[in-house]
Amino acid sequence: MNANRALRRICATLAIGACMLATVQAQKLTFTLHEHLIIGDDEEAPAEYLFYYPQVVRTDSRGNIYVKDARSADVRIFDANGRYVTTVGKRGEGPGELREVFGMHVDGDDRIIVADRMNRRLTIFTDMGRSFTTKSLEEDGRTIQPRPILSLDSSFVLKYVELFANPEGGPSIKDDRVLHTYDTDFNRLETFAQLDDIYDMDDPFLNAYSTVAGAVYVTTNGTDTIVLAPFVYGGYIYRYTRSNDKWVMEKLKGGPVPTRAFIPVSQKDIEENQDIKRGSISTSGYRARILSRSGGVAVLSTGAILHFPVRTPLKQDFEPRAELFNQNGDLVGYGQLQFDNPELNGNARVMESISIKWIDTADRLYLVRRNGEGFFVLSVANLEISSN
């Protein structure tokens, strides 16, 4: 069964109607991914089908799949069956060319919107790249670096942190807000979501890490709800809901997590201990071994929220998990994340690599994971949720 039917069945089992009551007792669940399409799994396939890392994934109104690979300066398009269609853009500085794709999105009109940091512009492709327009990414002399770009009803939401030059010559001054809405012509409307609501800015590592593009996963229902999941996951995700012309934040508590989400480590620790090296990240001179992280978040068509947390203990395999929140923001259930393929479940390298990149209107999940040989692939899967 799909995630929506499972949610309704689980809610009925819990005797809470449509899961709208304020007090919900979370139960342990099993979350099973049923893959029905994999792109990039055949090493002998043409280069268009192979990825270094599918960094951004989107779909359009016809079910076409758009992929921005981490080492490319273009966008590849596949049809709904995974057949290669075309590539939009190429490396360069001229009209319609791209240098460093930082963000990519496909809006409700099937326009491909590409944020190019090095060329300092948005390039907006129409008709699968046959025509395009551009708009500057510079605001007040600064180049914004949006990742991701997402659609709302008649606007866009971009996630980025603005950095300002320090008049005293020290480290850059950081704006304290992380979400920005723009109109359809990409003129900024408002800025919200406090950075220190999401991360402890008094911690040196988290303060430095907060400006990294991948520090926060962002998803939306496309209208009035935006959900943030910090990569360094301490047990909470954050939902922003539009109400009375304001964005109201709610802090949603997930399932059990380690007491500490990370531990600071030195370069010597990393060099001498493989358990510490695996799962460590560094930024601006600060290093930490992550013990709990997010693997992505999605809003289902019912308004329920799906989150993939990952436990990363020092001396055990990483533990991929899932959490399901209802429309009220209550945790309905949590538990093990698995595939319906035992071979994948038995491969630790595969299981620790799962990340949500997109969810379409039919609640199909677009995931990145490694295959058995260690290469990254794009997986399209339906989710089955069952009671233990």
Side-chain angles (χ1 to χ4, degrees):
M1 70 182 66
N2 67 23
N4 285 332
R5 292 201 299 272
L7 177 60
R8 288 192 289 269
R9 183 175 67 82
I10 290 165
C11 290
T13 301
L14 293 171
I16 54 174
C19 276
M20 294 297 291
L21 296 182
T23 56
V24 174
Q25 181 66 44
Q27 65 169 314
K28 287 190 176 182
L29 305 172
T30 297
F31 298 79
T32 304
L33 294 165
H34 297 264
E35 294 181 313
H36 58 82
L37 176 63
I38 303 172
I39 306 175
D41 204 27
D42 180 4
E43 295 180 57
E44 303 301 321
E48 292 86 356
Y49 289 88
L50 304 177
F51 305 111
Y52 174 77
Y53 182 80
Q55 194 171 50
V56 188
V57 180
R58 295 290 186 269
T59 54
D60 68 13
S61 62
R62 291 166 290 183
N64 293 313
I65 304 167
Y66 298 69
V67 183
K68 191 279 168 185
D69 191 60
R71 286 192 173 175
S72 72
D74 53 42
V75 177
R76 281 181 253 173
I77 304 177
F78 302 86
D79 68 16
N81 295 312
R83 292 186 293 261
Y84 172 74
V85 177
T86 189
T87 295
V88 175
K90 64 178 182 178
R91 192 175 297 278
E93 300 179 20
E97 295 178 338
L98 308 167
R99 289 179 66 193
E100 185 182 2
V101 177
F102 208 75
M104 184 273 289
H105 183 59
V106 179
D107 70 5
D109 296 321
D110 292 345
R111 302 185 305 167
I112 310 167
I113 301 161
V114 179
D116 185 342
R117 185 175 73 91
M118 293 298 291
N119 281 331
R120 300 184 178 183
R121 66 193 179 203
L122 287 167
T123 302
I124 303 168
F125 296 96
T126 55
D127 196 20
M128 285 200 172
R130 294 181 180 88
S131 59
F132 63 88
T133 58
T134 61
K135 182 174 178 62
S136 175
L137 269 177
E138 292 188 309
E139 294 185 358
D140 301 324
R142 297 180 303 277
T143 303
I144 64 173
Q145 302 178 22
R147 186 189 295 172
I149 303 167
L150 295 167
S151 293
L152 297 175
D153 264 338
S154 56
S155 60
F156 298 96
V157 59
L158 281 60
K159 178 261 172 182
Y160 59 86
V161 177
E162 287 190 281
L163 298 176
F164 302 87
N166 191 328
E168 299 180 358
S172 298
I173 299 172
K174 195 180 306 180
D175 186 21
D176 62 353
R177 291 162 295 182
V178 70
L179 295 181
H180 313 263
T181 55
Y182 285 72
D183 65 18
T184 53
D185 294 320
F186 282 94
N187 300 303
R188 183 151 56 163
L189 300 172
E190 60 182 336
T191 296
F192 62 102
Q194 301 298 119
L195 199 56
D196 59 6
D197 285 340
I198 303 161
Y199 279 126
D200 177 7
M201 304 304 287
D202 291 329
D203 182 278
F205 168 71
L206 292 179
N207 191 314
Y209 188 69
S210 64
T211 60
V212 173
V216 180
Y217 288 99
V218 186
T219 188
T220 177
N221 67 349
T223 54
D224 59 358
T225 300
I226 302 167
V227 180
L228 307 183
F231 177 82
V232 182
Y233 179 56
Y236 292 91
I237 63 174
Y238 302 84
R239 180 171 66 179
Y240 292 80
T241 306
R242 189 72 172 171
S243 177
N244 297 323
D245 293 326
K246 295 175 62 177
W247 289 98
V248 179
M249 189 271 282
E250 302 165 271
K251 191 174 178 180
L252 309 184
K253 183 173 176 56
V257 296
T259 303
R260 293 184 293 175
F262 69 97
I263 53 174
V265 296
S266 67
Q267 181 62 32
K268 183 179 179 181
D269 293 332
I270 294 174
E271 293 172 353
E272 294 180 351
N273 190 328
Q274 288 299 309
D275 289 329
I276 288 178
K277 182 177 180 179
R278 183 176 177 229
S280 294
I281 56 177
S282 63
T283 181
S284 302
Y286 296 98
R287 294 179 172 85
R289 171 55 160 85
I290 307 304
L291 302 174
S292 175
R293 63 171 171 82
S294 173
V297 63
V299 179
L300 301 175
S301 57
T302 58
I305 300 169
L306 176 69
H307 178 231
F308 283 3
V310 184
R311 293 179 176 178
T312 59
L314 284 174
K315 295 185 179 297
Q316 301 173 33
D317 288 337
F318 290 5
E319 302 173 35
R321 300 168 67 82
E323 298 173 335
L324 184 67
F325 301 81
N326 65 13
Q327 293 179 21
N328 271 3
D330 304 306
L331 181 68
V332 174
Y334 60 91
Q336 178 183 358
L337 179 67
Q338 62 184 22
F339 289 94
D340 61 339
N341 182 342
E343 291 186 10
L344 295 180
N345 295 330
N347 189 319
R349 185 165 53 174
V350 170
M351 299 307 294
E352 72 183 49
S353 66
I354 304 168
S355 178
I356 302 174
K357 294 299 179 182
W358 184 243
I359 186 169
D360 65 18
T361 55
D363 286 342
R364 286 182 290 259
L365 293 170
Y366 294 74
L367 310 170
V368 170
R369 66 164 177 83
R370 291 187 186 273
N371 64 8
E373 287 70 46
F375 298 101
F376 282 105
V377 300
L378 175 62
S379 161
V380 185
N382 292 320
L383 181 67
E384 177 187 357
I385 305 173
S386 56
S387 302
N388 289 343

